[in-house]
Amino acid sequence: MARMKQVSTVLERGQVTIPRQIRQSLGIQPGTRLEFTAAGGKLIATKEQIDDPVRRLYGSLKTGKTTDEMMDELRGRR
């Protein structure tokens, strides 16, 4: 993976925005848990590795259909 360098500002409450390009390249989505480590004057954020079968499949269908449309197809229209 190519090294990406982008700058973000720490807000008053310690919040920081992870730039979109970095989030996308690392697969960081809402709900992703990060582990923070301080080492050698650097802050290291690592995605928590959880073996969750549902999370592994999240977004894998890419059908372009809503859940309701898919359920109608499976159940047949009423």
Side-chain angles (χ1 to χ4, degrees):
M1 177 189 304
R3 185 177 182 140
M4 286 186 244
K5 183 176 183 177
Q6 295 186 7
V7 176
S8 190
T9 302
V10 177
L11 301 178
E12 188 174 318
R13 293 181 51 205
Q15 297 166 316
V16 66
T17 299
I18 302 168
R20 177 181 291 142
Q21 185 179 8
I22 293 174
R23 288 192 321 262
Q24 289 175 340
S25 71
L26 297 175
I28 296 172
Q29 305 171 15
T32 298
R33 293 177 51 95
L34 300 175
E35 178 182 288
F36 293 96
T37 307
K42 294 182 180 184
L43 174 64
I44 302 164
T46 307
K47 279 189 351 180
E48 186 176 65
Q49 298 299 317
I50 299 174
D51 188 24
D52 179 359
V54 174
R55 188 173 295 273
R56 270 189 274 139
L57 293 174
Y58 180 80
S60 63
L61 292 177
K62 298 183 185 356
T63 64
K65 298 177 184 175
T66 67
T67 303
D68 288 337
E69 291 169 337
M70 290 174 53
M71 293 307 293
D72 283 344
E73 281 184 20
L74 291 170
R75 293 179 179 159
R77 291 230 154 113
R78 297 177 197 191

